[in-house]
Amino acid sequence: MESIGDRIIEIPDNLSKVKKRDPDSTFISYVPKGSLARGKNLVSTGNGKTVPCASCHGDDLKGSTIAPSIVGNFASYTVRQLHGFKGGSRSGGQADMMKGVVDGLTDEDIVDISAYLTSYQLNNI
């Protein structure tokens, strides 16, 4: 046994469905202890490090006229996107605007936000 530390680990709920590329495959995300609460705080308020996500992505975070939905994605996808904005490897669309949004975030903040957003639909049904 090893602690997951500050990582997100995603495993398939049903490996045979994933191997068959079943579009209804689901995954279980194991996230650091406390990351959902910290992520909710960052997403909702910005916590002085960024702006609340609803400012652009809509009150339900499912997209608006200026920004796409940010819920329902794999946590690893969201981590990659936020790091891409922060590091400058993500470009096009609203990437320039997102760079300013993520500049003040730490790696832990990005994990926390991603953990919360991947759980968002389950928490808000």
Side-chain angles (χ1 to χ4, degrees), residues 34-99:
S35 62
L36 295 179
R38 290 188 305 268
K40 181 177 183 178
N41 185 39
L42 284 162
V43 166
S44 303
T45 70
N47 199 30
K49 296 179 175 192
T50 188
V51 296
C53 297
S55 302
C56 297
H57 294 277
D59 290 338
D60 61 1
L61 306 176
K62 294 182 180 174
S64 69
T65 57
I66 63 168
S69 174
I70 56 172
V71 296
N73 296 313
F74 293 114
S76 56
Y77 170 83
T78 303
V79 167
R80 285 192 313 271
Q81 296 306 309
L82 294 176
H83 276 296
F85 289 128
K86 188 171 180 171
S89 63
R90 178 81 203 277
S91 61
Q94 301 293 337
D96 288 340
M97 183 172 65
M98 279 299 297
K99 175 124 177 73

Side-chain angles (χ1 to χ4, degrees), residues 48 87-88 119:
S119 75

Side-chain angles (χ1 to χ4, degrees), residues 76-125:
S76 56
Y77 170 83
T78 303
V79 167
R80 285 192 313 271
Q81 296 306 309
L82 294 176
H83 276 296
F85 289 128
K86 188 171 180 171
S89 63
R90 178 81 203 277
S91 61
Q94 301 293 337
D96 288 340
M97 183 172 65
M98 279 299 297
K99 175 124 177 73
V101 171
V102 299
D103 273 345
L105 298 176
T106 65
D107 289 345
E108 180 184 48
D109 294 333
I110 289 173
V111 166
D112 292 345
I113 288 168
S114 301
Y116 175 69
L117 290 175
T118 201
S119 75
Y120 183 83
Q121 287 183 313
L122 296 175
N123 290 331
N124 294 289
I125 292 177

